[in-house]
Amino acid sequence: MSSILAPDITDHRPTVLIVDDESAPRAALTQILKQDFRILTAENAHAALAVLNDHGVDLVTLDLKLPDRSGSDLLHDIKRAHAEIEVIMVTAYGSLQSAMDCIRHGAAGFLLKPFNASELLAISLQTAQKKHRLDQLRPTLTNSTTLWGPEPACAKAWETLVSDYRAINPLSASQRDETSPLVPLISDLLEAKDRYLLNHGSRVSFYATLVANRLDLPFAEQQSLALGALVHDLDLISNPGPHVLNMESDQQIHRPSLGAKMGQAMGLSADAVQIIALHHERWDGTGYPLGLQEERIPLLARIVSIAQVFDQLTAEQPERTALPITQALQQIEQQAGTAFDPALTELFCNTMHEQPQQH
């Protein structure tokens, strides 16, 4: 069986760019990281961008306060021009809001000065390892047509990809207790395509799981719901181009039947595959791809249908302001009986009203 993933034939250390205008923090970070990373440094945003354009960099540690511009603005520029580079914010001026903003805009982590050396090293190594996994997958997503092509080649390609990924990235003890051994691969596939896909899927899975807890669903169904919600936009990894923001609402681009075929080839449960296939069906029968009506739509797909619209309304996105939770829930309630199952809509809204507002 031929390998889809390129073999790792080097053992070169990853490269980290330390961006800080003060010499003492640069020296401290260098001392902590130099054994495991090749080190580059920059004193300001202008110098940092020059280094990024001239060198291969895997990881940036970035101070939030720089002399020529803010670290958060530099983060935006890095993610716009070098989306594959991982960024860890390290600052003495952090707040919960600034941390959330940086994470939302693509930072892999946020650490406060004075930082704990072992914590900094651990998160840096974990982030570099994640980037290595994503770099393995990105050429496959860019160049492969077999993974979303006709059978039987599609199933064979997914079998090979799953096998190669597990061989290169064996499960840790904690991951072996996951809902599915496919979760690490699924998460990496979504993030390798567009980090928004992983964040969106993770939030939709969280919301759907809250509802499942209220419904007292059997454990196997809860597992399938959590996984199916995470991967409900699986088909979007097949779209050309690096970014898929806002595509999940476009019927011309979104192909849930293709996503279901990919999920089945990957080995997901039948319930999870149904979620991928049918989460765009509507209670009144005007949805797609099958135009199913009311309870002919599987229960788990009906839950994810509400959860994914709620997240689209409440999540910050470029060119679209997030709605406050109360306004989003009002919009959800207005679609009860048309887009959504009325009983599930009431349960979903009641459940969300009871959650702390940061959700």
Side-chain angles (χ1 to χ4, degrees):
M1 184 181 295
S2 63
S3 174
I4 289 181
L5 298 179
D8 180 12
I9 58 174
T10 71
D11 63 350
H12 294 163
R13 292 175 300 165
T15 298
V16 60
L17 170 62
I18 299 169
V19 184
D20 198 305
D21 63 322
E22 298 182 21
S23 58
R26 289 200 307 273
L29 286 162
T30 298
Q31 187 65 29
I32 294 167
L33 298 175
K34 67 180 182 180
Q35 181 173 335
D36 298 285
F37 293 86
R38 291 177 291 179
I39 306 293
L40 299 170
T41 63
E43 299 179 8
N44 55 53
H46 179 78
L49 289 173
V51 172
L52 292 172
N53 290 331
D54 293 340
H55 296 81
V57 173
D58 298 291
L59 176 66
V60 176
T61 67
L62 177 56
D63 191 27
L64 194 60
K65 192 173 184 180
L66 296 173
D68 52 346
R69 61 191 309 200
S70 73
S72 59
D73 285 345
L74 179 56
L75 170 65
H76 292 175
D77 286 349
I78 293 172
K79 284 300 179 179
R80 190 178 303 115
H82 308 279
E84 75 286 355
I85 294 177
E86 299 291 345
V87 181
I88 297 173
M89 307 302 294
V90 183
T91 181
Y93 301 95
S95 65
L96 177 59
Q97 186 60 51
S98 60
M100 290 173 64
D101 288 343
C102 289
I103 298 298
R104 184 181 297 119
H105 290 101
F110 193 99
L111 291 176
L112 290 176
K113 298 177 183 176
F115 45 78
N116 178 285
S118 59
E119 182 182 5
L120 172 68
L121 180 59
I123 193 172
S124 299
L125 289 171
Q126 290 167 6
T127 303
Q129 290 164 2
K130 181 187 75 170
K131 182 182 185 297
H132 180 64
R133 297 195 310 270
L134 300 186
D135 285 346
Q136 292 172 335
L137 291 170
R138 286 185 176 111
T140 301
L141 295 180
T142 301
N143 302 323
S144 177
T145 55
T146 314
L147 287 168
W148 30 88
E151 298 292 3
C154 172
K156 189 74 169 178
W158 278 104
E159 179 185 345
T160 303
L161 177 59
V162 172
S163 175
D164 289 349
Y165 180 89
R166 287 176 174 170
I168 298 172
N169 306 291
L171 293 177
S172 66
S174 62
Q175 287 173 329
R176 284 193 288 269
D177 295 330
E178 288 273 11
T179 299
S180 165
L182 290 171
V183 166
L185 171 58
I186 288 169
S187 297
D188 282 350
L189 281 169
L190 296 176
E191 186 167 5
K193 182 61 183 180
D194 189 328
R195 195 165 187 261
Y196 170 79
L197 273 181
L198 176 60
N199 292 343
H200 173 59
S202 298
R203 291 189 301 263
V204 172
S205 182
F206 171 71
Y207 301 140
T209 299
L210 290 177
V211 174
N213 291 338
R214 297 285 294 269
L215 288 171
D216 199 24
L217 294 179
F219 182 66
E221 288 189 19
Q222 292 193 40
Q223 287 185 312
S224 291
L225 177 62
L227 185 57
L230 172 67
V231 75
H232 70 278
D233 280 336
L234 181 62
D235 64 290
L236 294 182
I237 71 171
S238 70
N239 283 314
H243 301 296
V244 295
L245 273 172
N246 300 326
M247 284 185 178
E248 73 272 12
S249 60
D250 189 337
Q251 187 173 344
Q252 299 302 313
I253 298 172
H254 195 82
R255 295 176 289 170
S257 297
L258 172 62
K261 184 182 82 165
M262 293 158 60
Q264 189 171 26
M266 187 189 294
L268 299 181
S269 70
D271 282 341
V273 170
Q274 274 194 335
I275 290 170
I276 299 171
L278 303 175
H279 70 277
H280 280 294
E281 299 290 350
R282 288 169 54 98
W283 184 254
D284 61 8
T286 63
Y288 66 96
L290 301 180
L292 299 180
Q293 189 172 5
E294 298 185 358
E295 293 187 356
R296 292 180 180 176
I297 307 168
L299 173 63
L300 303 187
R302 280 181 268 149
I303 296 172
V304 173
S305 174
I306 302 172
Q308 61 101 19
V309 170
F310 176 74
D311 187 66
Q312 289 173 29
L313 294 172
T314 56
E316 288 283 351
Q317 296 182 37
E319 302 176 4
R320 193 171 76 193
T321 303
L323 289 180
I325 288 176
T326 53
Q327 290 184 28
L329 292 175
Q330 287 173 0
Q331 289 199 19
I332 295 289
E333 289 170 339
Q334 289 168 4
Q335 298 180 74
T338 53
F340 308 128
D341 176 338
L344 279 181
T345 300
E346 182 179 2
L347 177 63
F348 182 90
C349 292
N350 288 341
T351 302
M352 291 304 120
H353 277 303
E354 294 170 5
Q355 301 307 308
Q357 285 301 297
Q358 61 263 33
H359 293 316

